[in-house]
């Protein structure tokens, strides 16, 4: 089955700096890669996603890149703000489309 | 107007008891899921239902029995609760079983004592 690795597990940045979280996946047939943000006491919320026919996608301060050959994808947050502090999860959807496999999560702390 | 709602939000119970967690989505989605999040924040799928039919059961002990009376509801019943069942359980839904966004509920924090 699919295996998704996520790094780093914790990330501390100064407000205004950029943050990068990286994931690798094992199943080359996976073709949908969402990123979720989980705030304390809440469920994960989708912040951005990318499909395998696209190499990069941007939404304001958030961007995601995908390298299908290397089976890597990354989340980039620019101009970080304290409200960006949360746990971020990457995920990959299997080829059958019926299951999301999550990475282990990254706790991002943005210091004011 | 909550999209995916779970009840209860917190559940504290003794070992050996049987308990249920309810989930409802008002998004008109065909597919619903149960995920378990352990103390280290790992999110792992347990079950997936599409139009009331089970499509995924990820080697979950048979003490866990999901039930989907209609495609808007997916309840989780747990028999003979064990200490290791303590976790946060998330219900989610997506429009279809294909490559589409999954929407998560707020979670149910289950503590077995």
């Amino acid at each position: 089955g699919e295996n998704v690795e996520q790094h780093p597990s914790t990330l501390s940045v100064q407000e205004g700096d950029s943050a990068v979280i990286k994931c690798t996946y094992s199943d080359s047939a996976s073709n949908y890669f969402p990123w979720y943000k989980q705030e304390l006491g809440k469920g994960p919320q989708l912040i951005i996603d990318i499909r395998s026919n696209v190499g990069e996608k941007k939404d304001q301060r958030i961007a995601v890149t995908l390298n299908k050959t290397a089976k890597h994808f990354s989340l980039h947050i620019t101009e970080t703000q304290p409200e960006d502090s949360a746990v971020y999860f990457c995920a990959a959807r299997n080829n059958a489309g019926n299951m999301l496999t999550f990475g282990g999560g990254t706790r991002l702390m943005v210091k004011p | 107007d909550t999209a995916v709602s779970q009840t209860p939000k917190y559940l504290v119970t003794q070992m050996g008891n049987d308990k249920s967690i309810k989930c409802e989505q008002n998004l008109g989605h065909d597919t619903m899921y149960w995920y378990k999040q352990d103390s280290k924040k790992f999110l792992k799928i347990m079950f997936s239902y599409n139009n009331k039919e089970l499509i995924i059961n990820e080697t979950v002990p048979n003490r866990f029995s999901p039930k989907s009376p209609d495609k808007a509801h997916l309840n989780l019943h747990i028999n003979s609760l064990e200490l290791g069942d303590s976790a946060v359980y998330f219900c989610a839904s997506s429009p279809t079983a294909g490559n589409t966004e999954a929407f998560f509920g707020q979670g149910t924090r289950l503590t077995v004592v």
Side-chain angles (χ1 to χ4, degrees):
Chain A
E2 176 71 278
N3 184 43
V4 178
E5 301 277 344
Q6 183 172 345
H7 299 281
S9 55
T10 59
L11 179 57
S12 182
V13 300
Q14 207 65 41
E15 182 177 1
D17 287 350
S18 294
V20 180
I21 303 170
K22 298 183 179 183
C23 289
T24 60
Y25 60 100
S26 60
D27 185 355
S28 56
S30 290
N31 52 18
Y32 173 68
F33 307 92
W35 285 88
Y36 284 83
K37 176 184 181 182
Q38 186 178 19
E39 296 176 330
L40 197 62
K42 296 186 178 179
Q45 277 203 302
L46 182 81
I47 53 171
I48 195 167
D49 57 13
I50 191 166
R51 288 179 166 78
S52 58
N53 57 348
V54 174
E56 185 173 355
K57 184 175 176 181
K58 192 171 180 181
D59 182 4
Q60 298 181 359
R61 295 187 297 109
I62 295 173
V64 58
T65 59
L66 171 64
N67 183 331
K68 277 205 73 181
T69 305
K71 291 187 280 187
H72 288 172
F73 57 115
S74 300
L75 178 72
H76 304 251
I77 306 173
T78 57
E79 300 170 31
T80 52
Q81 300 165 4
E83 51 266 38
D84 294 331
S85 297
V87 179
Y88 290 81
F89 291 95
C90 63
R93 192 180 279 279
N94 65 344
N95 192 38
N98 55 13
M99 190 165 84
L100 272 177
T101 300
F102 283 84
T106 297
R107 186 176 297 278
L108 174 65
M109 292 166 284
V110 180
K111 293 182 279 190
Chain B
D1 60 348
T2 305
V4 181
S5 59
Q6 298 177 226
T7 54
K9 189 168 182 181
Y10 300 97
L11 184 52
V12 180
T13 188
Q14 289 190 322
M15 279 175 54
N17 284 351
D18 303 338
K19 289 293 178 187
S20 292
I21 307 171
K22 295 186 176 181
C23 179
E24 175 181 5
Q25 53 95 2
N26 62 4
L27 298 165
H29 289 170
D30 285 346
T31 308
M32 294 186 73
Y33 313 84
W34 277 107
Y35 283 84
K36 179 179 180 180
Q37 186 171 47
D38 64 22
S39 58
K40 294 185 178 177
K41 296 291 188 185
F42 289 118
L43 263 170
K44 191 165 166 54
I45 192 164
M46 301 171 68
F47 300 102
S48 175
Y49 270 70
N50 190 54
N51 273 320
K52 305 191 298 174
E53 299 294 324
L54 177 68
I55 54 173
I56 288 178
N57 177 343
E58 280 292 294
T59 60
V60 178
N62 58 15
R63 296 183 297 104
F64 291 78
S65 52
K67 284 196 171 42
S68 184
D70 54 61
K71 73 174 193 178
H73 295 84
L74 181 61
N75 303 322
L76 184 65
H77 188 77
I78 316 170
N79 288 329
S80 304
L81 278 155
E82 301 177 355
L83 293 176
D85 297 333
S86 296
V88 181
Y89 292 84
F90 285 101
C91 177
S93 73
S94 62
T96 67
N99 290 326
T100 53
E101 176 183 356
F103 293 80
F104 283 78
Q106 294 270 52
T108 296
R109 181 175 294 278
L110 171 65
T111 305
V112 183
V113 298

